[in-house]
Each structure stands twice: as structure tokens, then as C-alpha cells.
Amino acid sequence: MKKQFELIATAAAGLEAVVGRELRDLGYDCQVENGRVRFKGDVRAIIETNLWLRAADRIKIVVGSFPARTFEELFQGVFALDWDRYLPLGARFPISKAKCVKSKLHNEPSVQAISKKAVVKKLQKHYARPEGVPLIENGAEFKIEVSILKDQATILIDTTGSSLFKRGYRTEKGGAPIKENMAAAILKLSNWYPDKPLVDPTCGSGTFCIEAAMIARQIAPGLRRTFSFEEWNWIDNRLIQEVRTEASKKINRDLVLDIMGTDIDARMVEIAKENAQKAGVASDITFKQMRVQDLRSEKINGVIISNPPYGERLSDDAGVTKLYAEMGEVFEPLKTWSKFILTSDENFEKKFGRQADKKRKLYNGTLKVDLYQFFGERVRRQATSEKGNI
Ligand code: SAH
């Protein structure tokens, strides 16, 4: 089997740089592009990145790239790739996706059909199967994707299966959950570190709190799920087991964390508790039923992360306007705390009563949202030294 692969980690718009940082932290050089981060790696890299990347969507192998202005060029280009290195006899290989952008070829179903034919023909030739007799596809699945951008086709195999945001701990999620990989990315964009208090006062199913505890404890996000590549015959099960065992050993069990999630809805609080239990971080988080309007704290240098209801999704606009105003009042005394609020409401700052120090555009699925960032005031030197004298 091939030693090195061209790989891409896909990411939601706005989160590519976070995925790039994660890859570099894992020791992979990479290039950040729109919606994807390119890197190279071996079989271990496929396993490790699937298991460890918190902000990515999927890891895909780039099988090849070539110009495709006509169906003939597409057919020949796909046929020329070394499919026998990836697809064993019996493999299922749906062309699960075709996407054409700014290209002469634009009929996506036809692109899928032609690509399928080309792979079939190549495998028939390689495995010396008679032409005209269909290949039996009853084995492991290799989802193939064809993307044609400005007449350049790129052929990919998905290694992940269901998207990486599905960690396996969130079985109940309420009406408007944030994706787990987006929550992890926002935590990484924030100035929260495990030694600071963290509060999500509109915690819903608990995603921010659970992802924070997992980051702090170095729990690999993929430990509780499986991936497409685990069925593949050329990825050694022992290696998968080795990478999983290493990940289990990395878990830091000695930390004391200060993480709290609260929600007005008692049912959501129960769901959040169950999810934290499944993620293995129940003892790290205090979940309780509370209105955000009742939030108070004597602590300093904490971080609030909140994804409150927004007009389009859960509540009506008048209710949201009032809620945001009340949040503004309740957060005001928490001067040393930083606040990160994710909402699609373009008038959030006006309603909240303060202008953000920084704004970042993100997408929660297809919904455009902004992350409004308010940085806490530094505790003054005098106050610190007074404290030191006590
Ligand atoms: N990030 C969450 C989803 C938040 S949806 C997740 O991943 O699941 C917004 C949440 O705000 C809902 O759960 C809703 O019950 C809660 N909420 C609405 N009004 C509130 C209020 N006044 N105080 C606290 N929580 C509130």
C-alpha cells in the first residue's frame, strides 16, 4: 500500500485556520484553503487525524487531480488513477458526491455516472474480470467524491464516514444545537484555558461545556465512534488499536475544572447531564436549571460562552430583544470575564448594549452567524498585589 497520501481535512467556512492549527499541533505541515486544509501523511495520519481533530468535518484522500473539460477527459482522467491501490475486489464504491463549479461540465448526475463507469472499467481490467459482467460490491465502503472547479477535477475518497462532529456522546440534542466541531473551534478561538472558570448560561444539550472538558482532559473527540477506514483491508487493525490505546493513555485525569452549564429549560439540563455522562466528563461540569438573568459570580477572569436563542430559530423577535438586553445587564458587572456570544442576529450589539471588541463570521450549518467577542478587563496590578499581600 502507498506510504504517503495527499490528504485534506474539510472544515466549515471560517474554521479552516483552527483546523490548520490543530494539524500543526499534531505535527503535520499544512496549507489552509477555503473550506479545506491540505496535508500529507501515511496510514497513521489518517487514523490520528480522524481521532484527534476537533474542528474538522472529514478527512479525505486526494486520489488525483486533472483537467476535465469534456466527459471523455473526465473518463480518461478517472480511469488513469491507481484505483487498485485503494479498492479491493468486492469493495463498494459509490460516487457519493459530484460538485461542479465554474466548469464546462455541470451536469452532476452525469459526472457521477461517467466517473463510476471509469472506476469499474479500471477495476475490471486490474482484477481481470470480464467486461460487461458487473463487479460485485458487497464489501467495505469507499465513498468517492468528484469535485470539478474551473475545469479541474479532483477525485477524493472519504475516510471518515459520518461527519467528525458526530462524536457519539450526544444522543439527545434539543431544538437548536451547535455542532460539536463548531463548539470546539469556538473554544479554541476564545481565551479560555482549563484554569479559568467557564460558564455557558444557555447550555442546551451542553455542547460547549462538554467540548471544553474534553479539550482540558485531552480526551480525543473520536474515541467513542468508528470511522469508514476501520473497515478497509489495507489499514491494519493493530495500528488502529495502537493509536486508540495511545489516545486513551493521554487522558489527563488529575485536573480540577470549573465548568458550569445552565439553561432555563430543566429538560435540557437533564439531557446535558446525560450527554456529559456519555462523554466521560460528568464529574467536570455542574449543570443546573437557571435563567441567564440570574447569573452572578464573585469569581474573576472567567469566560462566558453562549449561543442564545435567535429569532429565526427558537423564539420571536421581541422575546429575543428583551433577552439580549437582560444578558447585557447581567454580564456588565462581570468586568474581568470575557464573553463570547454566537448569534445570527445582526442587531445583537444594539440589543445587548455594547459593541463587541471583535466579530467573527461563521456558519452554523447553512445559517450565517457571528461570534461577538468581548474581552475581560485585566485585573489591575494593584488589585493583584493587594491580593498577594493577604
Ligand atoms: N448551544 C446549545 C444550544 C443552545 S439553544 C447546544 O449545543 O445544545 C438556546 C438555549 O437557550 C435553549 O436550550 C433554551 O432553553 C435556552 N434559553 C432560552 N432562554 C433562556 C433564558 N432566559 N435563560 C437561560 N436559558 C435560556
Side-chain angles (χ1 to χ4, degrees), residues 91-163:
R92 283 181 291 142
F93 52 99
I95 313 290
S96 60
K97 224 158 113 183
K99 201 170 171 209
C100 305
V101 179
K102 295 183 188 150
S103 298
K104 292 198 185 64
L105 293 182
H106 52 79
N107 185 329
E108 290 165 351
S110 302
V111 165
Q112 277 171 300
I114 300 278
S115 305
K116 178 80 186 187
K117 266 192 195 151
V119 185
V120 168
K121 193 157 186 206
K122 181 67 172 272
L123 291 182
Q124 279 170 330
K125 186 167 168 238
H126 180 80
Y127 293 115
R129 299 282 129 170
E131 240 180 89
V133 180
L135 285 170
I136 292 165
E137 294 187 36
N138 57 5
E141 185 172 62
F142 296 78
K143 279 198 178 133
I144 298 171
E145 298 177 10
V146 181
S147 118
I148 308 181
L149 174 63
K150 295 187 188 156
D151 297 326
Q152 181 75 14
T154 303
I155 315 295
L156 305 156
I157 298 178
D158 172 43
T159 73
T160 302
S162 60
S163 168

Side-chain angles (χ1 to χ4, degrees), residues 170 173 176-178 201-208 263-265 268 290-293 307-309 314 323:
R170 196 170 72 174
K173 51 188 171 55
I178 185 166
T202 57
C203 73
S205 58
T207 321
F208 279 117
D263 198 286
I264 196 169
D265 184 345
M268 286 318 299
M290 192 182 85
R291 296 164 72 237
V292 60
Q293 291 86 338
N307 164 215
L314 290 177
L323 175 67

Side-chain angles (χ1 to χ4, degrees), residues 1 113 205 256:
M1 184 36 53
S205 58
V256 179

Side-chain angles (χ1 to χ4, degrees), residues 299-310:
K299 294 174 189 165
I300 57 163
N301 295 338
V303 173
I304 292 172
I305 297 196
S306 164
N307 164 215
Y310 12 98

Side-chain angles (χ1 to χ4, degrees), residues 206-263:
T207 321
F208 279 117
C209 296
I210 295 169
E211 290 294 322
M214 288 173 73
I215 290 172
R217 290 215 175 275
Q218 296 188 66
I219 300 175
L223 263 183
R224 277 160 207 273
R225 56 162 285 168
T226 57
F227 306 95
S228 285
F229 70 77
E230 291 180 84
E231 285 185 43
W232 299 354
N233 67 339
W234 50 269
I235 298 200
D236 187 354
N237 269 327
R238 278 168 308 183
L239 185 60
I240 298 173
Q241 210 38 60
E242 194 181 302
V243 178
R244 283 188 176 276
T245 307
E246 281 168 16
S248 303
K249 285 192 188 141
K250 282 220 173 92
I251 297 175
N252 181 342
R253 295 175 203 277
D254 304 323
L255 278 178
V256 179
L257 298 169
D258 184 354
I259 302 178
M260 185 166 82
T262 60
D263 198 286

Side-chain angles (χ1 to χ4, degrees), residues 347-378:
N347 296 317
F348 172 75
E349 287 159 302
K350 217 168 119 214
K351 297 174 182 173
F352 184 70
R354 241 188 99 180
Q355 211 161 8
D357 297 316
K358 215 170 142 188
K359 248 166 86 171
R360 193 178 178 110
K361 190 161 60 137
L362 298 170
Y363 287 87
N364 191 12
T366 53
L367 183 70
K368 184 179 155 297
V369 288
D370 280 294
L371 180 66
Y372 294 89
Q373 312 176 36
F374 304 85
F375 300 111
E377 290 171 13
R378 294 244 180 122

